[in-house]
Amino acid sequence: MARMGHRFDPLLLGLRDISWLVEPAHYNRVWRPAGHIEGTILEYGRIAGTWRYDRRGSGLIVSIFPFKPLAAHVQAAVESHAAGVATFFDMELVDFVTQKTD
């Protein structure tokens, strides 16, 4: 099961202990300076990476930043969610980019 939560997802706000949600090594990739919280990819209830979108002309580019390589079924689910984000904005998904893992 995979889910994409957007920035400032209520799941990520107001938690004191987040060790059950994300590895401490990845904390700073989710909770950024100045209170910015990245959109997250959840895999079975744990944060597996982050994501963002950029508008390019009349299209949308969705980029994901997994913490480790995603299982094929998770990658497919995230790609499907990306298409849904583009549809939400009434835009075409012109690119889906998976950034290299650490």
Side-chain angles (χ1 to χ4, degrees):
M1 183 176 115
R3 169 186 164 318
M4 287 173 56
H6 192 54
R7 297 177 179 129
F8 303 104
D9 186 329
L11 174 68
L12 306 177
L13 299 173
L15 298 175
R16 182 169 290 189
D17 176 20
I18 49 97
S19 61
W20 62 274
L21 192 57
V22 66
E23 296 293 326
H26 302 302
Y27 177 89
N28 290 333
R29 293 178 62 186
V30 176
W31 288 269
R32 308 287 295 166
H36 180 82
I37 301 172
E38 292 288 337
T40 57
I41 299 168
L42 293 180
E43 180 180 5
Y44 298 108
R46 299 222 8 123
I47 297 175
T50 62
W51 71 281
R52 66 177 59 120
Y53 67 85
D54 295 297
R55 297 172 194 250
R56 291 290 189 268
S58 62
L60 202 69
I61 298 171
V62 174
S63 300
I64 65 169
F65 306 85
F67 299 152
K68 62 181 182 180
L70 299 174
H73 74 280
V74 174
Q75 180 80 20
V78 171
E79 289 182 33
S80 176
H81 284 294
V85 170
T87 299
F88 174 80
F89 286 114
D90 196 25
M91 302 178 88
E92 178 185 353
L93 181 62
V94 294
D95 202 2
F96 179 84
V97 180
T98 302
Q99 300 292 330
K100 292 183 180 181
T101 58
D102 291 342

